[in-house]
Amino acid sequence: MAIDADSDTDDDSFEQRGYLMVVGDDDQNLYAFRGASIQYIQQFADNYHVNTEQKFYLLDNYRSADNIVDLANAFIASSLPSNERLKQAEHSIKATQPYPDRPIRYGYYKQTQGVDMAAWIAFDIEQRLAIIEQGRTKTQQQSQTIAVLAPKWSHFDAIQHYLEALGISSQRYNENEQVTPINSFIGQALFTHLSAKRLDVIEGNVATFLERWRAEQKLNPLDKAWDAIINRTQEMADVTYEQVLQTLEATLYDDKTQVILITYHSAKGMEFDHVYVIDEQSSTATDHSHDRPLYVALTRAKQTLSLLLQYKAHHPTLAKTLSVHGERIDLPMINPPTMLTFHRFMRLDELMLTPRDLVNNAGREFVEETFCSNIWTKTRNNITGLFCVSCYKEDKKSDGFYSSKGQQIAQFSKAFAKQYSSQGQGNQHLAMTGFTTTLFHQQDISWYEKAGYQGSENSHYLIVPYVRFNVQCR
């Protein structure tokens, strides 16, 4: 039995069965706030009498350019006290020259909501995309990946504003882990259909076959899950239902996006050709909670690495390390926009997950038999302007999106409503331009009883709005 990422385990996960091999990187122990600790690796060695000859250090790095490896090594060695690491100087990660060294750029941003940083990143990505496209045209190289990493999702608001202004698509990767195309209403219907005859063969183009099936089932094509499914199967032909199912299980929204926006924690285990890291957090010499997440962020980069540090709130050791290993750039001041405009799905923590009006019998019928059907979308190719924000203060309704007939589409959480809609300002800041659906399993059935649901289901479908945000830049 092999256990990966051992330092992310907790105290209840130890059980010896046969022979054990544990693989873990103490420098990437991100989940201390959940009780994870490198002590479990140390205890493992003590409990099972592991001697020096039974320890193997996997030190070769086949991902990153040498200077990126050197920077990461210097940063983690300087940040963490020796008693909080299992690897010492002789166990530094070794570079293997997979890519030539390019300057590691870094700079400090000062303006409100990081607009100077965001504008610089967007312009630099535009230039990089042009270079990548030119190189691919000449040599038929594979696409290269670009990612922006930050401590929090909110750091991406300004970045998305400037990327969208330049026509560059981006995706907040893994912001809604549970929201996937196959978990949508139309995705689950397709899954049920294909699962019944897994060995049957689709002759010809798969996307054409699926679109014909959708029309026969009278399902809504405007669910963004359907766009993702069709885009992912566009090049497939003459395959079994089972092969399509395997593809659908790996399908994400915006699979072909140009830029990935992702937090440090969500990026663990991933890699990207070109990485921009935002460092904006309070750190002190005695606070090491940011050390390992930032180390993980640095080590996602394969070819190039650029770092943008908030001039007052950044990691002091990183700044010092960059002065030796990096090349400083100056970020130009810009005129901040009055409003930041960007698009994204609402997060599940921004929604009421068990809204009374959508989980009672009438609500379920509306979602599954009306909203998820094509009866109202046969002559439409978008939903912009169909749904508006109502709030309790003005309309005596729970804050959320509603149809013109007063049917609730989605109910906001209290925190989201307070920020965007509770004072009647919702339609100035929020416009529902799309949607998906997701199956939500309710573990506490008492919520259904309170809503007046009389059936036996322990799950329901949520409508997840895709929203154009228009928020004040201050």
Side-chain angles (χ1 to χ4, degrees):
M1 178 171 70
I3 305 174
D4 191 13
D6 179 74
S7 58
D8 284 347
T9 62
D10 57 36
D11 206 15
D12 297 326
S13 60
F14 282 97
E15 183 177 353
Q16 183 180 17
R17 300 248 178 128
Y19 295 96
L20 290 177
M21 177 181 71
V22 174
V23 181
D25 184 354
D26 58 300
D27 289 336
Q28 296 191 46
N29 174 35
L30 300 189
Y31 296 97
F33 62 90
R34 293 181 183 172
S37 172
I38 65 169
Q39 292 178 358
Y40 297 120
I41 301 180
Q42 296 169 321
Q43 288 175 4
F44 178 88
D46 295 337
N47 292 343
Y48 296 101
H49 310 292
V50 177
N51 58 44
T52 304
E53 285 134 12
Q54 292 172 305
K55 293 180 182 179
F56 299 90
Y57 291 89
L58 307 177
L59 304 177
D60 290 338
N61 179 299
Y62 298 99
R63 170 187 295 158
S64 305
D66 289 13
N67 62 339
I68 296 175
V69 174
D70 292 342
L71 170 70
N73 279 339
F75 168 72
I76 198 68
S78 301
S79 298
L80 287 174
S82 58
N83 64 345
E84 291 194 26
R85 296 187 71 207
L86 299 181
K87 297 191 293 290
Q88 301 305 319
E90 65 270 23
H91 302 131
S92 293
I93 300 300
K94 300 175 182 176
T96 59
Q97 296 184 315
Y99 299 101
D101 285 355
R102 301 184 196 178
I104 296 173
R105 300 172 299 169
Y106 74 99
Y108 296 88
Y109 61 94
K110 299 181 178 181
Q111 291 185 264
T112 179
Q113 293 191 230
V115 292
D116 48 346
M117 166 270 293
W120 184 89
I121 287 178
F123 179 70
D124 198 70
I125 287 175
E126 182 183 45
Q127 292 182 310
R128 191 174 298 286
L129 286 170
I131 294 170
I132 291 172
E133 184 59 32
Q134 184 181 22
R136 185 165 58 242
T137 302
K138 288 183 176 181
T139 64
Q140 299 300 311
Q141 293 177 348
Q142 290 185 341
S143 297
Q144 296 181 28
T145 51
I146 299 174
V148 184
L149 279 64
K152 299 178 181 178
W153 294 109
S154 58
H155 287 121
F156 298 125
D157 293 355
I159 293 171
Q160 276 193 282
H161 171 87
Y162 286 100
L163 287 174
E164 289 186 17
L166 293 174
I168 299 172
S169 62
S170 63
Q171 177 191 4
R172 298 190 182 207
Y173 187 90
N174 218 24
E175 187 174 21
N176 275 337
E177 294 182 28
Q178 294 173 272
V179 182
T180 59
I182 200 169
N183 202 41
S184 66
F185 183 86
I186 198 168
Q188 286 291 291
L190 180 58
F191 177 84
T192 300
H193 173 70
L194 296 177
S195 295
K197 299 179 181 179
R198 289 176 177 259
L199 298 182
D200 280 13
V201 175
I202 297 173
E203 296 182 359
N205 182 266
V206 172
T208 301
F209 169 86
L210 296 182
E211 182 54 38
R212 187 165 57 246
W213 168 84
R214 182 206 59 76
E216 291 171 354
Q217 299 300 310
K218 299 180 180 179
L219 294 171
N220 192 338
L222 297 187
D223 189 326
K224 285 186 174 290
W226 191 245
D227 280 344
I229 290 169
I230 291 299
N231 289 337
R232 187 63 184 268
T233 57
Q234 200 76 42
E235 306 299 323
M236 297 179 70
D238 303 318
V239 296
T240 64
Y241 284 16
E242 175 64 31
Q243 288 171 291
V244 177
L245 281 170
Q246 291 175 4
T247 299
L248 295 183
E249 287 171 354
T251 298
L252 300 172
Y253 295 94
D254 298 323
D255 265 352
K256 297 180 180 179
T257 192
Q258 294 167 288
V259 180
I260 296 294
L261 309 175
I262 191 167
T263 61
Y264 298 171
H265 283 77
S266 295
K268 186 177 179 183
M270 303 180 73
E271 59 182 32
F272 308 95
D273 291 285
H274 308 286
V275 169
Y276 300 81
V277 174
I278 300 167
D279 175 27
E280 182 175 341
Q281 51 205 323
S282 299
S283 293
T284 64
T286 57
D287 176 17
H288 300 292
S289 61
H290 301 306
D291 298 348
R292 289 185 171 95
L294 195 46
Y295 173 77
V296 167
L298 300 177
T299 55
R300 301 309 93 193
K302 296 167 67 176
Q303 298 191 47
T304 68
L305 176 62
S306 304
L307 297 105
L308 294 308
L309 290 71
Q310 209 285 334
Y311 82 113
K312 283 186 177 179
H314 58 263
H315 198 296
T317 303
L318 177 63
K320 187 175 181 180
T321 306
L322 284 169
S323 68
V324 177
H325 294 268
E327 181 178 293
R328 182 164 177 172
I329 56 173
D330 292 322
L331 304 188
M333 298 280 285
I334 65 166
N335 291 321
T338 305
M339 307 293 282
L340 293 176
T341 302
F342 54 93
H343 295 73
R344 66 170 174 85
F345 281 114
M346 289 185 64
R347 298 193 307 270
L348 293 188
D349 64 1
E350 296 172 334
L351 295 168
M352 289 295 290
L353 299 179
T354 312
R356 178 187 297 272
D357 290 346
L358 295 176
V359 302
N360 59 25
N361 294 66
R364 289 168 184 264
E365 183 178 341
F366 164 73
V367 172
E368 298 182 20
E369 298 182 20
T370 301
F371 195 84
C372 291
S373 78
N374 67 355
I375 59 175
W376 61 281
T377 58
K378 288 181 179 179
T379 59
R380 292 185 174 279
N381 56 18
N382 69 76
I383 65 165
T384 302
L386 279 184
F387 307 110
C388 296
V389 177
S390 292
C391 72
Y392 184 80
K393 181 178 180 180
E394 293 188 349
D395 308 299
K396 302 307 176 188
K397 298 177 181 177
S398 299
D399 289 47
F401 283 112
Y402 289 81
S403 72
S404 59
K405 295 181 179 180
Q407 171 62 55
Q408 187 181 83
I409 303 300
Q411 183 178 338
F412 301 157
S413 69
K414 290 182 179 180
F416 186 85
K418 183 178 181 180
Q419 183 175 0
Y420 290 108
S421 65
S422 62
Q423 299 304 311
Q425 77 279 32
N427 289 304
Q428 301 171 32
H429 297 310
L430 309 168
M432 184 172 167
T433 63
F435 71 93
T436 189
T437 50
T438 192
L439 184 62
F440 179 76
H441 293 273
Q442 178 55 264
Q443 295 180 343
D444 184 357
I445 302 301
S446 67
W447 283 97
Y448 288 166
E449 296 171 357
K450 295 174 186 176
Y453 173 59
Q454 299 171 345
S456 58
E457 298 289 335
N458 61 1
S459 62
H460 60 275
Y461 283 96
L462 278 171
I463 299 167
V464 183
Y466 184 76
V467 176
R468 184 182 71 240
F469 286 78
N470 198 36
V471 299
Q472 217 167 6
C473 183
R474 57 189 179 192

